[in-house]
Structures are given as structure tokens and as C-alpha cells.
Amino acid sequence: MPAYRDERIDSSNSKIIQWFKMDQFEPERAVTSYFVSPKTLLMIRIPLVLYSVIVMWADIGTAIADNEFKHYFAYFTRFTFVGLHAYLVTSFCHHVRYLRCQPSHPASFFNQSAILNYLYVWLYHTVVTFNILTPVVYWALLSGSLLNDPTVTSVDWWVGVSLHTATLFMMMTEVIMTRMVLHTRMVLLVFSTVICYMMLTFIIYGAEKWWVYSFLDWGQGPSAAIWYIAVAVFVVLCFFLQTGIHALRNKIGAPRRVVDDDETIMPTEKAYVSDKLQYQEPEMPSSNEDKRYYSQTLVDSSLESHITLGASSTDHLA
């Protein structure tokens, strides 16, 4: 497996960005793997991107057909899937541009605005967390509308399973096959994203007197508070579960040589020696040989007219 040069993006002047370690993003990790080559990783990503595009438009189409599009972005599931879709498409585009560079280099990340890189890091942390949260909560609490409704069509079944099950496998493929890093402090931003969604559900209820999810209904009394706390705790658990998965992936993935601007880490002395053996300085003639060649040429070319000078030069070489 090739060695990767994991260059960090430029450091930020913002203390907040530094504290969350967003400016420690190493773009090459998003387009390379411990287990396969970058080209193979791109081939793996192609069906994931295509499937997400198909599901996206199928879900939009069914929402329009059922006259529910006005509530399309009211559901956390849709936010989760749109985030995953955005991550897959963005990563795919950067991956293609990475391979087009000769030699391969994630120049597209470095050439874009730093804000886009920070948002990409934030997006990754939410995607890997929410795509565990959403399937578990849906199948445990909310799947009755899909399982028990006789009017549900086969298309509704396929879209429902795609949004609440296939997304988990798509996300896990990304986690396992790439080398992205999960920063523990980002749990605060992930949790704050959920809080913002909670606020959105309150606004929707205030405007329409309709709860997006039944377990959010304040009318349940104390049990509603329990559900709020349970969901909050589960969000944090999902994040740290992903932290463990990332650590396990890194442990299983064979150590790779990483050349950074600040340091060089060699996995083994043997690898270092083999690299040295692959590069050999071209053999150059010694200075004495150069002098002999030059002097002999001078003798041959001017032997007849400068016999004395040629003899003197020959004696000097000897």
C-alpha cells in the first residue's frame, strides 16, 4: 500500500475552530484507505453515490405524490439522509479530482475556502453519528406506520428501508474504508445540531399544533421528559460508539508511512532500508578518469603539431 502524505489544511486564527480541531483536517484521509487503493475506493463509492441519488429523488417524488412535501424537512430522517447524500457527493467529487492530479494530491480541498473544509468536517461527524441514531430510533419507536399500514406500497417500503437501514450500511462503508479522524470535542457540535432540530420541532408545533414525532409531545407529562433525556443520552452514546469503531479500524489497518510537514514516521527499519535500496545514485566517472579522458583526447588531436605538449600531458596522467 502506498505511503500517504497527510498534509493538514492551514491553521485557523479562530480559537473556536482550533479548540474543535477543525483546522487539523487532513484531506487525503477522506480519499484514501488503509485496506484498498484510492482507485478501488472510488469504485466502491460510485454505487453508493448513485444509490443515494436514486433514493433522494424517489423520496421527493413520493412525498409530492402523497401531498406531504411541505413537511419534507420536518423529519430528522430527511435531514440525516440529505446530510449523508451531501457527504457522499462531495467526497466523490473531491476523490475524482484527487486521482486526476499527477501525482495524486487533494488540491481541491486546499484550493477551496477554509469554511468549506470546516463544514465538511462537521458534516462527517454528524453523518456518522446520526446514521446510527436514526435507524435505531425509527425501528424501535416509529416503524409501526410502515409495518402495520395496509395501504403502504412497495415503493414506500423500499424508500422507508433505504432511509432507515441502507443508510447505516452506506455510512459504515465510508467509516471503514476511509481514514477520516473523529475528534472527541466535536460531540458538542453534534449534540448542538440535535438541539437545533428540537427547536425546529417546537416551531412547527407552535405554527401547526402538530408534533413531528409522537414521543416529543409535551402532553405525555413526565414520560416526555424521559424521552427527551433518553434521546440526548443516546446521541452521545452513538458518537462515542463511532469513536470506538474508528479506533478499531485504525488498529486493524496496517501502519502506513505518513510524511507530514513537521515529522516523518517510518513504520519499520526494513521498509526504510528497502526504500533506500530502490534509489541509487547514477554512477558518475571519477575525477581521475575525467582527467585521463580529457588528456588523452588532447594528445590524439594535437599529436603531430604539439608532440612535446602531448608527451608532457601523458606523463602527468601516469
Side-chain angles (χ1 to χ4, degrees):
M1 198 62 60
Y4 300 122
R5 183 178 180 84
D6 291 328
E7 300 174 75
R8 289 181 181 174
I9 60 176
D10 292 337
S11 298
S12 172
N13 294 325
S14 170
K15 297 297 183 181
I16 296 177
I17 297 297
Q18 293 177 7
W19 192 84
F20 282 111
K21 299 184 178 181
M22 288 185 177
D23 59 349
Q24 294 185 18
F25 175 45
E26 298 169 341
E28 196 164 19
R29 291 183 174 275
V31 292
T32 54
S33 173
Y34 287 122
F35 309 106
V36 297
S37 68
K39 290 183 179 179
T40 302
L41 178 58
L42 180 64
M43 294 300 104
I44 294 173
R45 275 177 159 162
I46 289 176
L48 299 181
V49 172
L50 291 177
Y51 189 76
S52 70
V53 171
I54 294 171
V55 173
M56 171 70 73
W57 288 106
D59 187 34
I60 292 175
T62 55
I64 294 174
D66 296 338
N67 295 320
E68 294 183 356
F69 189 72
K70 66 177 181 178
H71 291 146
Y72 187 83
F73 289 106
Y75 294 96
F76 190 75
T77 296
R78 262 62 178 267
F79 277 109
T80 300
F81 181 74
V82 169
L84 177 62
H85 177 70
Y87 170 79
L88 290 174
V89 172
T90 302
S91 299
F92 177 78
C93 293
H94 282 293
H95 201 146
V96 171
R97 298 180 69 179
Y98 170 78
L99 293 177
R100 291 181 63 183
C101 290
Q102 295 299 326
S104 296
H105 184 265
S108 56
F109 280 104
F110 289 100
N111 293 336
Q112 69 182 7
S113 171
I115 295 177
L116 295 178
N117 287 326
Y118 303 151
L119 290 175
Y120 183 84
V121 173
W122 190 350
L123 178 63
Y124 178 78
H125 285 75
T126 58
V127 163
V128 300
T129 303
F130 296 162
N131 281 284
I132 293 179
L133 172 70
T134 299
V136 172
V137 172
Y138 178 80
W139 292 110
L141 302 176
L142 307 170
S143 59
S145 59
L146 182 67
L147 299 176
N148 302 323
D149 189 351
T151 63
V152 173
T153 65
S154 57
V155 174
D156 292 332
W157 255 98
W158 168 68
V159 171
V161 172
S162 296
L163 293 178
H164 302 101
T165 303
T167 51
L168 174 63
F169 292 99
M170 295 164 71
M171 176 273 297
M172 288 305 301
T173 300
E174 283 289 320
V175 170
I176 294 172
M177 300 309 297
T178 64
R179 301 188 302 123
M180 288 289 286
V181 176
L182 216 60
H183 299 296
T184 304
R185 295 176 180 179
M186 287 292 294
V187 68
L188 297 178
L189 288 182
V190 172
F191 189 78
S192 67
T193 305
V194 177
I195 296 298
C196 290
Y197 173 76
M198 290 287 190
M199 297 300 175
L200 175 62
T201 63
F202 298 158
I203 295 173
I204 293 173
Y205 176 75
E208 302 186 17
K209 302 303 178 183
W210 168 69
W211 287 105
V212 179
Y213 297 114
S214 58
F215 64 85
L216 297 177
D217 187 357
W218 298 336
Q220 299 178 79
S223 61
I226 295 175
W227 281 118
Y228 278 88
I229 296 173
V231 170
V233 171
F234 191 58
V235 170
V236 176
L237 289 178
C238 288
F239 181 89
F240 285 103
L241 174 62
Q242 278 291 7
T243 302
I245 293 173
H246 281 69
L248 180 62
R249 177 205 64 193
N250 295 340
K251 183 177 181 179
I252 295 175
R256 305 301 176 189
R257 183 174 61 187
V258 179
V259 182
D260 195 272
D261 291 337
D262 300 325
E263 61 182 354
T264 302
I265 304 175
M266 297 298 180
T268 61
E269 182 180 354
K270 182 179 180 180
Y272 174 69
V273 173
S274 64
D275 285 347
K276 288 184 64 179
L277 292 177
Q278 291 177 4
Y279 177 78
Q280 295 181 354
E281 293 286 347
E283 186 175 351
M284 301 295 292
S286 65
S287 59
N288 289 337
E289 291 175 347
D290 287 345
K291 291 178 181 179
R292 290 194 194 97
Y293 176 77
Y294 175 79
S295 299
Q296 186 62 44
T297 303
L298 181 62
V299 169
D300 293 339
S301 62
S302 58
L303 181 60
E304 294 181 358
S305 59
H306 302 86
I307 187 63
T308 305
L309 177 62
S312 176
S313 300
T314 305
D315 291 339
H316 175 69
L317 280 174

